PDB file of all heavy atoms in Angstrom:
ATOM      1  N   VAL A  83      -6.151 -85.486  17.986  1.00 52.00           N
ATOM      2  CA  VAL A  83      -7.078 -85.332  19.107  1.00 52.00           C
ATOM      3  C   VAL A  83      -6.319 -84.922  20.365  1.00 52.00           C
ATOM      4  O   VAL A  83      -6.734 -83.998  21.077  1.00 52.00           O
ATOM      5  CB  VAL A  83      -7.885 -86.635  19.338  1.00 52.00           C
ATOM      6  CG1 VAL A  83      -8.654 -86.582  20.644  1.00 52.00           C
ATOM      7  CG2 VAL A  83      -8.842 -86.873  18.183  1.00 52.00           C
ATOM      8  N   LEU A  91      -6.815 -77.071  26.687  1.00 58.00           N
ATOM      9  CA  LEU A  91      -6.495 -76.940  28.106  1.00 58.00           C
ATOM     10  C   LEU A  91      -5.554 -75.761  28.355  1.00 58.00           C
ATOM     11  O   LEU A  91      -5.709 -75.033  29.338  1.00 58.00           O
ATOM     12  CB  LEU A  91      -5.875 -78.240  28.634  1.00 58.00           C
ATOM     13  CG  LEU A  91      -6.828 -79.423  28.758  1.00 58.00           C
ATOM     14  CD1 LEU A  91      -6.067 -80.685  29.140  1.00 58.00           C
ATOM     15  CD2 LEU A  91      -7.903 -79.131  29.786  1.00 58.00           C
ATOM     16  N   ASN A  98      -8.128 -68.305  32.298  1.00 49.00           N
ATOM     17  CA  ASN A  98      -8.517 -68.265  33.707  1.00 49.00           C
ATOM     18  C   ASN A  98      -7.477 -67.546  34.532  1.00 49.00           C
ATOM     19  O   ASN A  98      -7.805 -66.791  35.432  1.00 49.00           O
ATOM     20  CB  ASN A  98      -8.722 -69.679  34.259  1.00 49.00           C
ATOM     21  CG  ASN A  98     -10.035 -70.267  33.825  1.00 49.00           C
ATOM     22  OD1 ASN A  98     -10.936 -69.538  33.426  1.00 49.00           O
ATOM     23  ND2 ASN A  98     -10.151 -71.572  33.887  1.00 49.00           N
ATOM     24  N   SER A 117      -9.577 -31.261  29.502  1.00 92.00           N
ATOM     25  CA  SER A 117     -10.492 -30.516  28.636  1.00 92.00           C
ATOM     26  C   SER A 117     -10.256 -30.933  27.192  1.00 92.00           C
ATOM     27  O   SER A 117      -9.280 -31.620  26.879  1.00 92.00           O
ATOM     28  CB  SER A 117     -10.252 -29.012  28.787  1.00 92.00           C
ATOM     29  OG  SER A 117     -10.494 -28.621  30.117  1.00 92.00           O
ATOM     30  N   MET A 122       0.302 -27.861  27.323  1.00 95.00           N
ATOM     31  CA  MET A 122       1.558 -28.617  27.437  1.00 95.00           C
ATOM     32  C   MET A 122       1.676 -29.293  28.803  1.00 95.00           C
ATOM     33  O   MET A 122       2.133 -30.433  28.907  1.00 95.00           O
ATOM     34  CB  MET A 122       2.759 -27.681  27.243  1.00 95.00           C
ATOM     35  CG  MET A 122       3.248 -27.616  25.827  1.00 95.00           C
ATOM     36  SD  MET A 122       4.738 -26.603  25.565  1.00 95.00           S
ATOM     37  CE  MET A 122       5.400 -26.228  27.131  1.00 95.00           C
ATOM     38  N   GLU A 128       0.215 -36.331  31.899  1.00 97.00           N
ATOM     39  CA  GLU A 128      -0.125 -37.665  31.376  1.00 97.00           C
ATOM     40  C   GLU A 128       1.145 -38.487  31.157  1.00 97.00           C
ATOM     41  O   GLU A 128       1.235 -39.644  31.579  1.00 97.00           O
ATOM     42  CB  GLU A 128      -0.894 -37.552  30.065  1.00 97.00           C
ATOM     43  CG  GLU A 128      -1.185 -38.905  29.428  1.00 97.00           C
ATOM     44  CD  GLU A 128      -1.799 -38.811  28.051  1.00 97.00           C
ATOM     45  OE1 GLU A 128      -2.128 -37.704  27.588  1.00 97.00           O
ATOM     46  OE2 GLU A 128      -1.954 -39.880  27.419  1.00 97.00           O
ATOM     47  N   ALA A 148     -13.317 -34.222  30.074  1.00 94.00           N
ATOM     48  CA  ALA A 148     -14.320 -33.584  30.925  1.00 94.00           C
ATOM     49  C   ALA A 148     -15.319 -32.759  30.116  1.00 94.00           C
ATOM     50  O   ALA A 148     -16.411 -32.456  30.609  1.00 94.00           O
ATOM     51  CB  ALA A 148     -13.630 -32.707  31.969  1.00 94.00           C
ATOM     52  N   ASP A 150     -16.692 -33.806  27.317  1.00 93.00           N
ATOM     53  CA  ASP A 150     -17.594 -34.729  26.623  1.00 93.00           C
ATOM     54  C   ASP A 150     -18.793 -35.029  27.520  1.00 93.00           C
ATOM     55  O   ASP A 150     -18.642 -35.466  28.660  1.00 93.00           O
ATOM     56  CB  ASP A 150     -16.844 -36.017  26.280  1.00 93.00           C
ATOM     57  CG  ASP A 150     -17.596 -36.912  25.319  1.00 93.00           C
ATOM     58  OD1 ASP A 150     -18.829 -36.808  25.223  1.00 93.00           O
ATOM     59  OD2 ASP A 150     -16.932 -37.733  24.660  1.00 93.00           O
ATOM     60  N   LYS A 151     -19.994 -34.812  26.989  1.00 94.00           N
ATOM     61  CA  LYS A 151     -21.242 -34.989  27.768  1.00 94.00           C
ATOM     62  C   LYS A 151     -21.388 -36.414  28.307  1.00 94.00           C
ATOM     63  O   LYS A 151     -21.961 -36.608  29.371  1.00 94.00           O
ATOM     64  CB  LYS A 151     -22.465 -34.632  26.908  1.00 94.00           C
ATOM     65  CG  LYS A 151     -22.592 -33.171  26.626  1.00 94.00           C
ATOM     66  CD  LYS A 151     -22.991 -32.419  27.864  1.00 94.00           C
ATOM     67  CE  LYS A 151     -23.192 -30.947  27.556  1.00 94.00           C
ATOM     68  NZ  LYS A 151     -23.282 -30.144  28.744  1.00 94.00           N
ATOM     69  N   GLN A 161     -15.863 -34.451  40.976  1.00 93.00           N
ATOM     70  CA  GLN A 161     -15.846 -32.991  41.001  1.00 93.00           C
ATOM     71  C   GLN A 161     -14.698 -32.460  40.142  1.00 93.00           C
ATOM     72  O   GLN A 161     -13.935 -31.586  40.550  1.00 93.00           O
ATOM     73  CB  GLN A 161     -15.769 -32.466  42.436  1.00 93.00           C
ATOM     74  CG  GLN A 161     -16.966 -32.864  43.268  1.00 93.00           C
ATOM     75  CD  GLN A 161     -16.897 -32.357  44.701  1.00 93.00           C
ATOM     76  OE1 GLN A 161     -15.921 -31.744  45.116  1.00 93.00           O
ATOM     77  NE2 GLN A 161     -17.945 -32.622  45.464  1.00 93.00           N
ATOM     78  N   ASN A 179      -7.152 -36.876  45.436  1.00 97.00           N
ATOM     79  CA  ASN A 179      -6.922 -35.862  44.417  1.00 97.00           C
ATOM     80  C   ASN A 179      -5.438 -35.497  44.373  1.00 97.00           C
ATOM     81  O   ASN A 179      -4.893 -34.998  45.349  1.00 97.00           O
ATOM     82  CB  ASN A 179      -7.772 -34.624  44.718  1.00 97.00           C
ATOM     83  CG  ASN A 179      -7.748 -33.620  43.592  1.00 97.00           C
ATOM     84  OD1 ASN A 179      -6.835 -33.599  42.776  1.00 97.00           O
ATOM     85  ND2 ASN A 179      -8.770 -32.778  43.549  1.00 97.00           N
ATOM     86  N   ASN A 187       4.566 -30.234  40.190  1.00 97.00           N
ATOM     87  CA  ASN A 187       5.781 -30.984  39.893  1.00 97.00           C
ATOM     88  C   ASN A 187       5.919 -31.413  38.432  1.00 97.00           C
ATOM     89  O   ASN A 187       6.836 -32.158  38.102  1.00 97.00           O
ATOM     90  CB  ASN A 187       5.849 -32.220  40.794  1.00 97.00           C
ATOM     91  CG  ASN A 187       5.903 -31.847  42.250  1.00 97.00           C
ATOM     92  OD1 ASN A 187       6.779 -31.111  42.679  1.00 97.00           O
ATOM     93  ND2 ASN A 187       4.944 -32.323  43.026  1.00 97.00           N
ATOM     94  N   LYS A 193      10.963 -35.362  40.729  1.00 98.00           N
ATOM     95  CA  LYS A 193      10.124 -34.964  41.855  1.00 98.00           C
ATOM     96  C   LYS A 193       8.682 -35.439  41.648  1.00 98.00           C
ATOM     97  O   LYS A 193       8.037 -35.905  42.582  1.00 98.00           O
ATOM     98  CB  LYS A 193      10.160 -33.445  42.054  1.00 98.00           C
ATOM     99  CG  LYS A 193       9.516 -33.016  43.347  1.00 98.00           C
ATOM    100  CD  LYS A 193       9.805 -31.571  43.669  1.00 98.00           C
ATOM    101  CE  LYS A 193       9.173 -31.232  45.020  1.00 98.00           C
ATOM    102  NZ  LYS A 193       9.304 -29.827  45.342  1.00 98.00           N
TER     103      LYS A 193
END
Side-chain angles (χ1 to χ4, degrees):
V83 169
L91 289 174
N98 283 341
S117 299
M122 267 184 12
E128 176 187 354
D150 192 337
K151 289 289 183 193
Q161 298 180 357
N179 189 338
N187 298 304
K193 190 168 183 185

